[in-house]
Amino acid sequence: LALSSLDDDPQLILYGAVESFSIRKDQALNLMLRRYFSEVTFEFTDLTDLSHIHRIEVYAAHQPIVFRPFHVNRASEQHEARSQVFYPSFNREDKTFRFHQFMGHTTMPIPLQYSVKIFNQQQEQIVEFAVGAAIRNNIKLHFIGELNHLVVQNPQFSVQIYPDWDAMVDGSF
């Protein structure tokens, strides 16, 4: 069994548990399922209207993330650019878009790198910038910055990690 980020679904929701137990008779067992993904949010703080943005392409520039719960040998996967396309409906109150990044089950932060391309209504690329951070599963990663500022100057995004997203999910069987 291997789970990978190669075929990322931007709304992927995957929970799991890594537990050891033995069954000797009929018994009830509660497992705590944890998110095997993190949420990545881009928030643009521009005071101006962003309705001219038609398409956003996000390319994962990091190595694919592979989770093999039953294998000790974790050979690396081939690196290939993976992209997700968003067609935002920005308005004055909401200038954000988000997606889920598969992370597997990890206690150590994994470095993530994204290249973001922004296109206008005429399908012209108006800006490209790169962001990155190292996180583990079950983290909300929030990139925040002014988009129009990037068109004329160097990208200056700040990274904020909100680790208080953990929640308990009880599964029964």
Side-chain angles (χ1 to χ4, degrees):
L1 174 66
L3 303 172
S4 171
S5 64
L6 286 174
D7 297 313
D8 273 345
D9 174 350
Q11 299 307 315
L12 169 82
I13 297 175
L14 180 63
Y15 292 85
V18 178
E19 299 287 337
S20 295
F21 55 88
S22 54
I23 300 175
R24 292 188 167 77
K25 59 180 181 169
D26 287 344
Q27 62 187 19
L29 196 69
N30 287 327
L31 291 177
M32 182 185 303
L33 300 178
R34 297 188 49 87
R35 291 179 184 94
Y36 280 12
F37 63 94
S38 288
E39 183 179 84
V40 180
T41 301
F42 286 81
E43 179 182 353
F44 301 115
T45 58
D46 300 75
L47 297 176
T48 59
D49 182 24
L50 296 179
S51 63
H52 64 285
I53 296 173
H54 174 67
R55 185 175 85 235
I56 300 173
E57 295 178 1
V58 179
Y59 293 87
H62 52 267
Q63 291 291 325
I65 299 167
V66 178
F67 175 57
R68 292 185 179 101
F70 304 113
H71 295 294
V72 176
N73 181 11
R74 295 185 177 188
S76 62
E77 301 289 323
Q78 288 291 334
H79 177 73
E80 63 181 68
R82 298 159 324 275
S83 68
Q84 299 176 26
V85 178
F86 301 90
Y87 296 93
S89 300
F90 294 140
N91 57 52
R92 289 210 177 270
E93 293 80 33
D94 184 19
K95 297 175 186 171
T96 63
F97 72 96
R98 65 185 42 88
F99 58 91
H100 294 161
Q101 170 66 57
F102 172 77
M103 300 298 293
H105 174 75
T106 180
T107 56
M108 299 300 296
I110 297 173
L112 303 176
Q113 297 288 325
Y114 299 103
S115 174
V116 181
K117 295 180 181 181
I118 309 289
F119 295 84
N120 63 16
Q121 298 290 343
Q122 292 75 35
Q123 304 299 325
E124 301 165 327
Q125 181 178 323
I126 56 175
V127 69
E128 179 176 0
F129 60 92
V131 295
I135 62 171
R136 58 180 178 76
N137 60 304
N138 203 35
I139 299 292
K140 280 190 168 187
L141 175 59
H142 190 204
F143 294 107
I144 184 168
E146 190 173 321
L147 182 61
N148 286 325
H149 179 72
L150 298 177
V151 176
V152 292
Q153 296 183 2
N154 292 329
Q156 297 295 320
F157 261 67
S158 65
V159 177
Q160 299 176 12
I161 297 177
Y162 294 99
D164 297 330
W165 193 33
D166 289 326
M168 185 167 65
V169 177
D170 289 328
S172 60
F173 58 94

